Amino acid sequence: MGNFKKRMYEDYRQEFSTDERFDIAYKQVKRLKGFYSHLRIYIIVNLIIIVANINSDFFTRNFYETGFFDWRTYSTAFYWGIGLLIHGISVFGREWFFSEDWEKKKIQQYIDKEQAKADKWE
């Protein structure tokens, strides 16, 4: 059991001892924290890799043959990015982009737009 969860159970034992919502929320926060840690490490490591490849190739080759335009400079970021995207989908859910709520809002927006057009000519 993590320190945060222990502290929460000690401070609010009577409120959360049998509450399943707390366990679900705790797991979701833990998954979010894991994703943001993964994202942070992804950015730092790939910046180091890209800068190192560009710098090493810039001083040893011609300017036109530098690592700036080389696939191997960005391949790690690309493939790791696919893994990060899959991790993000697992944390935020598949309906991250087009959820039911989004559909309802969009439908209401089009209904309002059509109503405004109809009211304009009356």
Side-chain angles (χ1 to χ4, degrees), residues 21-111:
R21 292 177 297 169
F22 175 76
D23 290 332
I24 293 169
Y26 174 76
K27 289 177 184 177
Q28 183 64 24
V29 168
K30 193 170 183 176
R31 292 175 69 204
L32 279 170
K33 186 177 175 183
F35 174 75
Y36 289 131
S37 295
H38 188 183
L39 179 64
R40 183 180 64 231
I41 291 169
Y42 169 82
I43 291 171
I44 292 169
V45 169
N46 283 302
L47 278 175
I48 291 169
I49 290 171
I50 291 170
V51 169
N53 280 337
I54 291 174
N55 284 340
S56 69
D57 289 342
F58 183 74
F59 292 114
T60 58
R61 297 183 188 171
N62 242 343
F63 178 72
Y64 297 109
E65 298 175 3
T66 62
F68 190 70
F69 300 108
D70 193 12
W71 164 249
R72 69 180 173 90
T73 303
Y74 306 104
S75 63
T76 304
F78 177 74
Y79 292 117
W80 192 353
I82 292 171
L84 186 66
L85 179 67
I86 292 169
H87 188 183
I89 289 171
S90 74
V91 170
F92 294 108
R94 294 180 195 162
E95 297 179 0
W96 188 22
F97 295 108
F98 301 113
S99 64
E100 285 185 25
D101 189 39
W102 177 85
E103 289 177 2
K104 289 177 185 176
K105 287 180 184 178
K106 219 42 171 164
I107 290 170
Q108 188 61 44
Q109 181 182 7
Y110 284 123
I111 290 172

